[in-house]
Amino acid sequence: MGVTGGQISPVRSRERFLLGESVEGSVRGPILNSWRRSRMLGLSPEQTDLPYTDDFDPDSRLVRAAVPVLDQLQTRFSGSQMNISLADGNGTVLQRRFGEPALAGRLAPIQSVPGFVFAERYAGTNGIGLALAERRLCQVYGAEHFAERSQSNACSATPIRDQFSGHVVGVLCFGYPRSYEDPVLPVLVRRAAESIERRLMEQSSARERALLRTYLDARLRAHAGEASTDAADGRLVGLDDLTDGGLDLRDQMVLKAKATELICNPQRAAVEVSLSHGRGVTLLSSPVTSLSGVEGVVVEAVLTADSPPAHHLAASKPTASALGALALAATERAESLPWHLAATPAPAPGSGEASGAAEASAPAGGSPRDAAGGAPGTVRGLVLVGEPEVGKYAVAARRRLELLAEASTRIGTTLDVSRTAWELAETAVPRLADYVTVDLPGAVLRGEESADPQADLHRTVVHGIRDDCPFYPVGHQVRLDPGTPHMRCLEGEPAVLETDLQATTPAWMLPGLEHARGILAHDVHSMICVPLLARGVLLGIATFYRAQDPAPFGEDDSRLAQELAARAALCIDNARRYTREHTLALALQRSLLPRGLPQQGAVEVAHHYQPAESGVGGDWFDVIPLSGTRVALLVGDVVGHGLHAAATMGRLRIAARNFAELELAPDELLTHLDNLLVRLDREEEASATGSDGIVGATCLYAVYDPTSQVCTMARAGHPPPALVHPDGSVDFPDLPAGPPLGLGGLPFETAEVRLPEHSTLVLYTDGLVEGRHRDIEVSLDQLRHALAHPDRPPQDTCRAVIEAVAPEHPDDDIALLVARTRTVPADRIATWDLPPDPSLVSDVRGAATRQLAAWGLDELSFAAELMLSELVTNAVRYGSEPIQVRLIHDHDRALICEVSDGSNTAPHLRRAASTDEGGRGLFLVAQLSQAWGARYTTRGKVIWAECALDAA
């Protein structure tokens, strides 16, 4: 609540709050936070007493700068009930002005007499106290005041800052009856505060001009004395005249930066500074005191006659007019000194451009003469003049700029959320803070947006100058109490600055006082809490603590922390979005890869899949059982990364399984995949969806027959497999390479390789052996060495290959398939060659029955006889020679019946009508077997049927 249609009064909300009820959403955030702090401090709304002190300076710099502005405001509000207050940085009122002078006599002393302290910890929620706590313009209306005495008033208050340091040095507050509320008042109080801030700046410029005037007067006196005695010919010139063509911009920046550092230390010093082109100059710093008592430092650059760059100046003395011009230029320089210093880049102290320091003698009274000042042929140029505090602010500003520049390169080097948070802490410690903690919701760590960051906050980073500071450890779930700086940041505040945690324990620390005492015991004295916001999404909180540095955090530090947090938040959000996309792509890819290996007896298989760190790719593998105890092994790699590549991989893998079910030869299967990829590519172009398109894919397809121990392979632009022989030797079969899939119209070739029992076939994608910084020949040698252990189980082989060959941080997916071959013993295979004679069907049935009895499969005789009768009859009647019958006892799995002939015409299952004489044979085969089908060979076709052994 606040000002709405001229009505001000969250009275009911205040009453509910004092009764302990929740008022979230009905009171403005800053007011509610102030109420909470006031309650934690034990303040009572009925209290009337405030601390009073007369120990303040009525003629301070702040008062002198504000008096003319206060006079103008008093005139502007003449005749009104406006109460204008000026308070210092501690909340002590220094000046009071009234639109109606008689108000001073009617108001209570607490509202009319300077000296009362209105800091929030004493007065509760009020304009002055809230402006100091929030460090921004604040308005408090009626019942928003915590104290009962202020319920009838409203106020607008804003901080007054020292523009050099950024510190809040005071507060300007307008107090007025609620009926006076006007949208112009906040604007007016802000403009008045800015006028006071400008006058404070002018005071500093006047002080520096006084220092410069003292310095120039001393130099003129020194020059007059030297001219009368002719004891020396040292001359004072401008900085740009120190060399023949003047100093270049870089040299001037170096000199001014070093001079700024010398001003920070109000002592005499001499420092050698190296410039470009092998030149050098001596910088001399000397204290100087103006007639009004202002203490400062003058820095001069000195060149002697034996310095080559100064030779051209050794012939003439400066004239009075030259010194006058120098004085004018120097005065102008001094007037603009604060802004100039704040923007001057410079090297850090001790960076190597200056070496050596010595005390230089200067005459009493402030004349900045040095030991070399009276030496013949000496040329001296004024560099800077200023006060030490101003120099410190300038150096601090430069270091803040350097830190921001460094942050742009150090934060966000990876797309990992946690690592990015660590980079923020590592950048800030120790140059901004002594300790940094970062708390992120668990959802953000998973790549999602957090619906309720307050309930899901986890400590992600703890980093500092020491490891023993008792902050909550990484992984701890952080629970926040209302009113804490962390909670205020979550509720929308841009930053919360606490400048003094040691003197008075803040109210928000009281609920967790034991934990807070542990932190304060390590000399932590100030903190800045900043929300991590990016693209309107709250990602977490970063908290900066200072302990070793005696200076507390200030406004400039708070703004720097906000800038660092903003940069880190953007990088964290990028990493979060990447994590989400990566997780989605990985989930899609894993859902499209085999979840388990099918049962088959041809090979013992193990596999490994490892996604790339930089993004999910399109690598896949598959194991497909085929008829006749055969098995198909497949690995492939879609070009590209991301969801598109993963989705394309899924389409290719499903298509490959379907083509394999059709019992296609390896080269034919690759041809079909190639045609499919070409069609998909055309569909992508026609849809114009803005996708990256499909560039292509590589693939290796192998079919192993354990009855013949022959493996038939074909590849499409894919790396060849590795073959481990039973004796431990390893080679890479020379298969025809074939074009990558997606080019269209190019043929593929097959190759047959005999694999002795217990051989190992290793299929892999290029991510295992190739890389931007890897030599593929070296990788293949590593692979050969890792595979040279024939007795190792496939799972152990997978593990050994990944450990020995795979890169530590792969930039491409890796799919690895290891298959150790088995064979079907000859005594488990029965074969009969038949002429095309129908009368021989009964002989086949009898031979099959006897063979099944020998194998102990008598229970399957009936089903086998019926199936063989139908299949052999069809082959004799509709097929051609040669006709062959084969029974295979696949141990522990199935009995396989095969009938082959020389015809390419395959039978089709159909439902026979009641009047049909035929058409029921294949129906019987389908009913008696668990699976049946047909495959084509170079000599014809094979019709097969499989009966499960457990069916018996």
Side-chain angles (χ1 to χ4, degrees):
M1 295 179 62
V3 182
T4 305
Q7 299 299 318
I8 313 164
S9 180
V11 176
R12 295 185 60 188
S13 295
R14 182 173 178 276
E15 292 175 351
R16 290 171 53 202
F17 173 81
L18 294 176
L19 291 173
E21 300 178 15
S22 174
V23 292
E24 291 282 353
S26 62
V27 181
R28 291 184 293 131
I31 298 298
L32 181 57
N33 290 330
S34 180
W35 286 358
R36 288 168 173 166
R37 293 193 295 268
S38 300
R39 184 169 60 184
M40 289 178 181
L41 289 166
L43 299 180
S44 170
E46 293 80 17
Q47 70 179 30
T48 57
D49 296 332
L50 290 180
Y52 174 80
T53 178
D54 56 6
D55 186 21
F56 63 88
D57 185 0
D59 192 36
S60 65
R61 290 182 62 218
L62 176 61
V63 173
R64 291 199 305 272
V67 164
V69 180
L70 296 177
D71 291 341
Q72 293 176 7
L73 290 173
Q74 185 173 13
T75 301
R76 181 186 183 100
F77 293 113
S78 177
S80 70
Q81 298 185 52
M82 182 67 69
N83 185 342
I84 306 165
S85 305
L86 175 71
D88 64 15
N90 296 318
T92 303
V93 175
L94 306 177
Q95 287 274 311
R96 290 274 193 184
R97 299 296 174 89
F98 304 95
E100 182 182 334
L103 280 175
R106 297 201 301 266
L107 294 175
I110 201 172
Q111 295 177 289
S112 59
V113 178
F116 286 95
V117 183
F118 281 80
E120 189 181 66
R121 65 178 180 272
Y122 302 121
T125 308
N126 70 94
I128 293 174
L130 191 59
L132 288 174
E134 297 290 326
R135 288 172 171 78
R136 56 191 169 105
L137 190 149
C138 297
Q139 295 170 275
V140 185
Y141 309 109
E144 290 182 338
H145 288 87
F146 190 77
E148 296 283 358
R149 63 172 179 272
S150 303
Q151 299 296 297
S152 60
N153 299 324
C155 59
S156 295
T158 190
I160 299 171
R161 288 181 170 83
D162 184 329
Q163 294 300 297
F164 284 131
S165 64
H167 295 162
V168 174
V169 296
V171 176
L172 181 63
C173 180
F174 290 173
Y176 43 87
R178 291 184 297 173
S179 59
Y180 273 37
E181 178 57 36
D182 192 309
V184 173
L185 289 179
V187 178
L188 184 60
V189 72
R190 179 62 262 173
R191 289 179 178 175
E194 291 172 353
S195 297
I196 297 173
E197 291 171 352
R198 284 195 298 271
R199 292 182 60 80
L200 285 170
M201 288 284 291
E202 292 170 1
Q203 288 182 9
S204 297
S205 296
R207 293 160 67 91
E208 288 162 358
R209 284 197 297 270
L211 290 172
L212 179 61
R213 190 172 300 110
T214 301
Y215 164 75
L216 292 174
D217 289 344
R219 287 299 302 162
L220 288 172
R221 289 196 301 272
H223 172 70
E226 291 166 357
S228 63
T229 60
D230 201 22
D233 61 353
R235 297 179 306 282
L236 178 64
V237 300
L239 178 60
D240 294 339
D241 296 325
L242 278 174
T243 60
D244 200 358
L247 295 176
D248 61 27
L249 181 60
R250 179 186 177 280
D251 287 342
Q252 292 186 39
M253 291 171 60
V254 170
L255 286 178
K256 291 175 182 177
K258 192 60 186 177
T260 304
E261 296 173 9
L262 291 174
I263 288 177
C264 297
N265 187 11
Q267 297 178 355
R268 299 183 182 93
V271 178
E272 295 291 336
V273 181
S274 299
L275 303 178
S276 59
H277 307 297
R279 295 178 297 183
V281 68
T282 302
L283 286 183
L284 302 176
S285 67
S286 301
V288 59
T289 304
S290 71
L291 295 177
S292 60
V294 177
E295 296 181 353
V297 176
V298 169
V299 179
E300 298 172 293
V302 179
L303 284 173
T304 58
D306 57 355
S307 299
H311 284 167
H312 72 288
L313 295 173
S316 64
K317 290 178 176 292
T319 62
S321 61
L323 288 175
L326 173 63
L328 178 60
T331 301
E332 292 174 352
R333 183 183 297 113
E335 288 176 348
S336 63
L337 186 59
W339 299 273
H340 175 68
L341 284 175
T344 300
S351 61
E353 358 185 72
S355 59
E359 182 176 322
S361 60
S367 177
R369 294 191 62 196
D370 56 87
T378 298
V379 181
R380 306 171 66 153
L382 177 64
V383 181
L384 287 178
V385 58
E387 296 180 80
E389 289 302 314
V390 176
K392 291 178 182 178
Y393 300 147
V395 171
R398 173 170 52 80
R399 291 175 180 170
R400 285 192 288 269
L401 290 175
E402 291 173 346
L403 182 58
L404 286 176
E406 182 179 327
S408 65
T409 60
R410 290 190 60 182
I411 300 176
T413 60
T414 68
L415 286 172
D416 180 84
V417 172
S418 298
R419 180 59 204 157
T420 303
W422 272 101
E423 288 169 347
L424 167 62
E426 291 167 349
T427 301
V429 175
R431 296 169 64 180
L432 172 62
D434 296 320
Y435 300 96
V436 174
T437 63
V438 180
D439 303 321
L440 302 178
V444 172
L445 295 172
R446 295 189 299 271
E448 307 165 5
E449 290 186 15
S450 177
D452 185 10
Q454 301 178 15
D456 190 30
L457 214 57
H458 291 79
R459 179 60 46 85
T460 306
V461 174
V462 178
H463 181 59
I465 56 176
R466 293 171 54 182
D467 296 330
D468 60 344
C469 198
F471 295 103
Y472 290 125
V474 172
H476 179 83
Q477 184 168 3
V478 180
R479 302 187 183 278
L480 302 177
D481 295 313
T484 62
H486 306 76
M487 183 64 78
R488 290 164 62 185
C489 286
L490 290 178
E491 292 172 347
E493 293 196 31
V496 178
L497 170 63
E498 293 283 351
T499 58
D500 192 353
L501 302 177
Q502 293 283 349
T504 303
T505 303
W508 55 267
M509 279 191 170
L510 297 179
L513 190 56
E514 289 302 318
H515 179 67
R517 284 174 176 168
I519 296 175
L520 297 179
H522 285 70
D523 300 324
V524 173
H525 56 74
S526 59
M527 65 173 285
I528 304 170
C529 192
V530 186
L532 296 171
L533 280 167
R535 303 180 179 99
V537 178
L538 181 61
L539 302 172
I541 304 170
T543 310
F544 304 82
Y545 299 89
R546 187 167 283 179
Q548 183 170 294
D549 188 340
F553 285 124
E555 291 294 332
D556 285 346
D557 298 315
S558 178
R559 285 189 285 270
L560 177 59
Q562 291 180 64
E563 181 67 23
L564 291 176
R567 297 189 184 198
L570 190 60
C571 295
I572 289 174
D573 192 48
N574 290 339
R576 179 190 67 82
R577 290 166 179 256
Y578 168 79
T579 300
R580 180 185 61 190
E581 296 296 329
H582 182 76
T583 302
L584 288 174
L586 188 59
L588 173 62
Q589 187 181 46
R590 291 195 182 279
S591 70
L592 296 174
L593 289 173
R595 298 189 177 183
L597 296 179
Q599 290 186 355
Q600 47 79 36
V603 291
E604 180 185 359
V605 183
H607 61 87
H608 177 86
Y609 172 76
Q610 183 172 339
E613 286 191 352
S614 59
V616 174
D619 292 19
W620 87 95
F621 63 90
D622 213 341
V623 178
I624 308 170
L626 300 177
S627 63
T629 71
R630 297 172 306 137
V631 65
L633 305 174
L634 176 69
V635 291
D637 181 6
V638 174
V639 175
H641 291 83
L643 286 171
H644 189 264
T648 303
M649 175 273 291
R651 299 170 79 173
L652 285 179
R653 175 176 174 258
I654 293 172
R657 289 190 68 90
N658 291 334
F659 294 147
E661 293 289 343
L662 295 176
E663 303 280 359
L664 297 179
D667 56 338
E668 295 179 14
L669 182 140
L670 293 182
T671 299
H672 283 286
L673 288 180
D674 182 48
N675 294 334
L676 172 64
L677 204 53
V678 170
R679 288 196 299 272
L680 292 177
D681 216 353
R682 290 173 181 168
E683 291 174 6
E684 291 287 340
E685 294 177 0
S687 63
T689 58
S691 66
D692 295 336
I694 303 173
V695 178
T698 64
C699 184
L700 172 62
Y701 184 70
V703 177
Y704 173 67
D705 186 346
T707 63
S708 63
Q709 301 180 14
V710 172
C711 183
T712 306
M713 294 181 279
R715 63 184 177 125
H718 201 84
L723 176 58
V724 184
H725 296 275
D727 62 359
S729 61
V730 180
D731 60 45
F732 298 91
D734 186 16
L735 305 181
L741 300 176
L743 297 181
L746 299 176
F748 299 94
E749 301 180 54
T750 61
E752 292 186 351
V753 179
R754 182 175 179 78
L755 303 181
E757 186 177 8
H758 303 313
S759 298
T760 301
L761 192 64
V762 180
L763 287 69
Y764 52 89
T765 55
D766 58 0
L768 178 67
V769 295
E770 297 181 13
R772 287 175 295 178
H773 308 291
R774 305 176 68 196
D775 186 335
I776 187 171
E777 294 300 330
V778 174
S779 298
L780 291 176
D781 286 342
Q782 293 173 340
L783 178 60
R784 180 181 287 108
H785 180 74
L787 293 175
H789 300 276
D791 298 329
R792 190 163 47 195
Q795 191 62 50
D796 293 343
T797 299
C798 266
R799 188 179 303 109
V801 167
I802 294 299
E803 291 176 355
V805 186
E808 185 176 356
H809 303 285
D811 54 12
D812 194 8
D813 290 19
I814 297 174
L816 177 64
L817 192 63
V818 177
R820 189 176 185 183
T821 63
R822 297 168 176 162
T823 60
V824 178
D827 59 357
R828 292 184 178 271
I829 303 174
T831 305
W832 298 277
D833 294 320
L834 300 177
D837 184 355
S839 64
L840 297 178
V841 174
S842 61
D843 295 340
V844 172
R845 288 202 303 267
T849 300
R850 290 190 294 273
Q851 185 63 60
L852 292 177
W855 288 340
L857 301 177
D858 300 271
E859 298 86 347
L860 294 177
S861 296
F862 177 74
E865 286 182 15
L866 285 179
M867 289 190 297
L868 286 175
S869 293
E870 295 299 331
L871 295 178
V872 172
T873 299
N874 284 339
V876 170
R877 181 177 298 177
Y878 303 110
S880 60
E881 293 187 281
I883 299 174
Q884 186 182 75
V885 176
R886 186 170 74 159
L887 293 181
I888 304 174
H889 180 197
D890 188 3
H891 184 63
D892 296 333
R893 289 188 64 250
L895 172 68
I896 301 171
C897 303
E898 295 182 347
V899 177
S900 63
D901 66 79
S903 170
N904 289 323
T905 303
H908 296 282
L909 179 65
R910 64 184 179 90
R911 182 177 295 277
S914 58
T915 58
D916 292 343
E917 295 184 1
R920 296 177 179 82
L922 285 181
F923 181 77
L924 288 174
V925 171
Q927 294 300 309
L928 293 171
S929 64
Q930 67 174 2
W932 76 278
R935 68 175 182 269
Y936 295 93
T937 67
T938 57
R939 299 184 301 171
K941 68 176 182 294
V942 176
I943 308 299
W944 58 270
E946 183 176 298
C947 292
L949 296 184
D950 56 8

